[in-house]
Amino acid sequence: MEKKYNLAIVGYGGMGGYHANHILKDQPRIAITGIYDINPERMEAAITDGYQVYDSLDAICSDETIDIVLIATPNDVHKEIAIRALNAKKHVVCEKPVTIYSKDFEEMIAVAEENNQVLMVHQNRRWDQDFLTTKKMFDEKMVGDVFQIESRVHGANGIPGDWRHLKEHGGGMVLDWGVHLLDQLLFMVDSKLTSVYANLSYILGDEVDDGFQTYLTFENGINALVEVGTTNFITLPRWYIKGTEGTAIINDWSINGKIVKQNSDVLAAAPKPIQAGQGLTKTMAPPSEEATSTLALPSVEKSMEDFYENLVSVIEKKAEAIVKNEEVLRILKLMEVIFKAAENNEVIKLSL
Ligand code: NAD
């Protein structure tokens, strides 16, 4: 019979609860053996939800039946908890951003290697349907060669919760949502970054950014805009992709959108001039129906193992990690550059 791995959760807040009651619910190879949270109310909640609780992190580390520790605490304590669990010979799954600074993650990687344990970061948005749809269009050149990518998430509810407002806990939107959008982008575009510019917003008056825009250039010529906003009462599309043969748009997480492609015999269908404001324009006229074809977005079948299936395969040395630590490290370094570019209001040239 296949081994079932015992997993303990540290931090039973929003995301710890989501792992326990949603993501790990029907995992055939992983069983939740218990939960620890520093907040007694969250320990009570775990008991009410039917879980056993541990009264300390030490109790988890010294329980030899536990194979995996999942860390879902605020960002500033991930490292300390991970290192203690790794040194106790537990595999570790850590929530994103794994650390605030890249050098801390380098230490964690070294400790995982010394102890011969798997350390994997939960960059779960690599499995998001909107991203996989974009990646399929990109990989299969459905709009020709992509040269511009715009990836945005917009909310109007400010920064939720408590610790996300505070720098010492690793709050702010670059670290919170930026880490996901940048991870998706760099997972998709196989090229080095050559320049980074960014601006951060502080509309809510917090000490951390409540949104940002960053402009990235890749060695292969692709330009990208990544934008996060929390005070956007009108939202812009989730994805806007321009290629040499067309444009694609994905409006939302329900994958509403379309591809509009240029037909090859465009000369036969020159645009008609339109009145635009106080002038006339052919350049900005909508393309004629003959000049373009509108296509549905592609559907995406399961293209890779789920996160936890992959974790088990990695532990059993049957597969490579889908979320590789060197990729996670690159994103942490990129976020450091984004903060620097924004602070100094400069375009930073680099090779990353
Ligand atoms: P939260 O505030 O809802 O929960 C954090 C929990 O950790 C709280 O219950 C708190 O009491 C507990 N805690 C704090 N310090 C602890 C410690 N030293 N030991 C044990 N427990 C401790 O926060 P959240 O929204 O659940 O975020 C937790 C982590 O998950 C963060 O790193 C966040 O970025 C990440 N997250 C990831 C996703 C995703 O989609 N991957 C989504 C949301 C949050």
Side-chain angles (χ1 to χ4, degrees):
M1 214 177 76
E2 285 187 313
K3 176 178 162 69
K4 200 154 182 170
Y5 292 87
N6 290 326
L7 177 146
I9 300 178
V10 181
Y12 193 64
M15 201 55 192
Y18 188 70
H19 277 275
N21 304 313
H22 185 83
I23 314 177
L24 282 163
K25 191 102 195 115
D26 298 312
Q27 265 297 328
R29 303 289 310 279
I30 297 176
I32 300 171
T33 46
I35 286 167
Y36 166 63
D37 195 296
I38 41 163
N39 180 346
E41 282 174 22
R42 294 309 301 158
M43 294 280 262
E44 281 304 319
I47 293 167
T48 306
D49 293 343
Y51 298 107
Q52 290 198 33
V53 292
Y54 290 88
D55 61 9
S56 65
L57 178 60
D58 279 337
I60 288 180
C61 290
S62 57
D63 182 342
E64 287 184 0
T65 67
I66 295 174
D67 305 294
I68 305 165
V69 172
L70 162 66
I71 304 169
T73 61
N75 306 331
D76 56 316
V77 287
H78 290 172
K79 176 184 165 187
E80 179 207 332
I81 297 167
I83 287 181
R84 281 170 68 187
L86 290 164
N87 280 330
K89 303 282 182 220
K90 314 292 183 202
H91 302 295
V92 166
V93 171
C94 188
E95 262 308 336
K96 52 45 65 173
V98 60
T99 53
I100 302 168
Y101 303 105
S102 58
K103 64 176 175 30
D104 291 317
F105 186 45
E106 281 169 336
E107 274 182 53
M108 282 169 64
I109 295 171
V111 175
E113 281 169 5
E114 275 160 34
N115 287 288
N116 212 9
Q117 301 299 304
V118 172
L119 167 62
M120 256 171 78
V121 181
H122 191 236
Q123 290 293 159
N124 51 324
R125 292 196 177 278
R126 288 190 187 189
W127 284 264
D128 282 7
Q129 203 68 7
D130 62 278
F131 168 63
L132 292 173
T133 305
T134 302
K135 188 169 183 304
K136 186 177 171 77
M137 290 191 288
F138 180 91
D139 290 345
E140 297 182 12
K141 296 184 187 287
M142 289 183 176
V143 288
D145 288 316
V146 169
F147 60 89
Q148 189 183 332
I149 301 169
E150 298 185 14
S151 169
R152 293 185 170 86
V153 289
H154 284 168
N157 304 311
I159 300 178
D162 44 13
W163 60 266
R164 278 183 177 77
H165 295 260
L166 301 170
K167 210 173 179 147
E168 60 168 317
H169 293 301
M173 283 299 127
V174 171
L175 288 165
D176 194 35
W177 267 95
V179 71
H180 282 304
L181 303 196
L182 297 165
D183 179 65
Q184 291 176 335
L185 182 71
L186 270 56
F187 185 54
M188 179 166 70
V189 180
D190 183 18
S191 181
K192 286 197 162 184
L193 283 164
T194 54
S195 80
V196 176
Y197 177 69
N199 50 64
L200 275 51
S201 65
Y202 294 90
I203 296 156
L204 301 170
D206 284 317
E207 59 181 8
V208 296
D209 70 284
D210 49 48
F212 69 92
Q213 291 175 316
T214 185
Y215 299 86
L216 309 170
T217 310
F218 291 90
E219 206 167 57
N220 63 7
I222 293 178
N223 285 303
L225 164 62
V226 175
E227 180 178 311
V228 174
T230 54
T231 56
N232 299 59
F233 293 88
I234 298 172
T235 57
L236 289 175
R238 173 72 189 84
W239 293 94
Y240 179 74
I241 310 288
K242 280 180 73 181
T244 48
E245 294 167 18
T247 308
I249 196 163
I250 300 183
N251 290 310
D252 48 35
W253 279 296
S254 305
I255 330 294
N256 292 306
K258 62 184 175 185
I259 296 173
V260 178
K261 284 193 82 168
Q262 191 175 32
N263 292 334
S264 47
D265 57 345
V266 274
L267 283 180
K272 295 188 180 65
I274 55 158
Q275 176 86 30
Q278 294 300 305
L280 206 59
T281 179
K282 225 195 289 193
T283 320
M284 297 306 158
S288 66
E289 275 185 23
E290 309 86 78
T292 55
S293 304
T294 299
L295 311 173
L297 293 168
S299 59
V300 187
E301 293 88 48
K302 187 173 171 176
S303 53
M304 52 191 183
E305 286 183 309
D306 294 337
F307 182 86
Y308 279 109
E309 284 171 8
N310 183 236
L311 174 73
V312 169
S313 299
V314 175
I315 290 172
E316 295 180 347
K317 300 193 186 339
K318 290 179 181 158
E320 276 194 31
I322 293 172
V323 180
K324 296 183 179 52
N325 287 335
E326 62 265 27
E327 295 165 346
V328 175
L329 188 62
R330 184 176 174 221
I331 304 300
L332 293 177
K333 288 182 178 167
L334 171 56
M335 292 193 296
E336 288 166 351
V337 175
I338 286 172
F339 284 121
K340 191 170 163 216
E343 194 178 330
N344 299 340
N345 191 21
E346 63 173 340
V347 176
I348 296 183
K349 307 265 187 204
L350 75 177
S351 176
L352 180 68

